[in-house]
Amino acid sequence: MITESPETFLGVGVPDDIKQQWKRWEGAEWRRMRHLSNCNPFPPDQRYTVRYPAEMCPAHRQAWLDWRNHDFDPVTGDRWPGGPGSIFTIVGSDLDRVREERRCEWDEKTSQQMRLIEDICLSGRSPQCAQDDVGPEAAKPVVDVHLPELGTAA
C-alpha cells in the first residue's frame, strides 16, 4: 500500500491537490480513474487506502471500519451486501469477468456506505455521537483489524 503520495502514478504526474488528498476519497477516486484510463475496466479497490477523518466519534469510526472490512467473497460471488439468498446467477460465459464486475460493484457500494457514515458523523446531528460519553459503549475501544491506528508504527 502506498502511504505517501508519489510524484507519478501509473505514468501520470500526481497533481498537487491530489497529493494533499492522497489518503482521502478524492485521492482514491483519482487513482481509480487512472486505472480506468489505462484500459483497466476493473480497478483495484481503493477503500483500504482511505483514512477516516480524525474528527469522527468512536461509534461512527467503528462502523466505518466495519464497512471497510466488509469484503467481497470471490468464492461465492455474492452480490452486495452478500449473505444468504444472494445467489451467483451467471449471465454470459466468462465467470472471471462476472466475478470482477461484482467485486467492483461491491467495492463501490461499500465505499458509498463509508462516505455516508462520515457525512452523518461530521454533520453533528447524529444521536450516536452524543452517546460516546455515556453508557457501555464508552468503554469499547475502536478495533481496526487491517490497519494500525493513525500515528502508530506499523
Side-chain angles (χ1 to χ4, degrees), residues 1 3 20 32 38 42 73 83 91-92 96 102 124 132 136 138 151:
M1 179 178 80
T3 57
Q20 299 300 316
R32 185 173 97 59
N38 281 339
F42 308 115
D73 183 353
V91 177
D96 290 333
R102 289 193 177 180
D132 289 336

Side-chain angles (χ1 to χ4, degrees), residues 142-153:
V142 174
V143 179
D144 185 353
V145 296
H146 289 288
L147 297 175
E149 287 279 333
L150 290 177
T152 62

Side-chain angles (χ1 to χ4, degrees), residues 7-135:
E7 292 300 315
T8 62
F9 184 80
L10 296 177
V12 176
V14 179
D16 289 336
D17 61 323
I18 297 300
K19 286 180 185 179
Q20 299 300 316
Q21 300 172 336
W22 193 252
K23 296 178 185 176
R24 294 294 308 136
W25 295 109
E26 295 82 2
E29 179 60 21
W30 186 86
R31 290 188 298 276
R32 185 173 97 59
M33 294 308 295
R34 296 295 65 76
H35 283 282
L36 292 173
S37 67
N38 281 339
C39 299
N40 179 2
F42 308 115
D45 184 12
Q46 296 293 318
R47 283 182 290 158
Y48 292 96
T49 65
V50 175
R51 295 290 188 163
Y52 54 79
E55 304 85 23
M56 284 179 67
C57 72
H60 285 110
R61 189 172 28 223
Q62 186 62 59
W64 189 94
L65 290 168
D66 290 346
W67 272 108
R68 184 201 63 195
N69 298 339
H70 194 115
D71 292 323
F72 175 74
D73 183 353
V75 175
T76 64
D78 288 339
R79 285 209 129 110
W80 191 90
S86 180
I87 59 173
F88 196 0
T89 305
I90 308 301
V91 177
S93 59
D94 188 349
L95 292 177
D96 290 333
R97 181 174 183 86
V98 171
R99 185 175 290 111
E100 282 300 295
E101 287 170 352
R102 289 193 177 180
R103 180 195 57 80
C104 287
E105 174 188 45
W106 185 282
D107 298 343
E108 289 171 16
K109 289 183 177 184
T110 305
S111 294
Q112 289 171 356
Q113 289 297 310
M114 293 166 64
R115 292 184 86 162
L116 179 63
I117 291 169
E118 283 182 28
D119 293 344
I120 289 169
C121 183
L122 299 179
S123 74
R125 297 186 308 261
S126 174
Q128 287 88 358
C129 294
Q131 294 174 2
D132 289 336
D133 300 329
V134 296

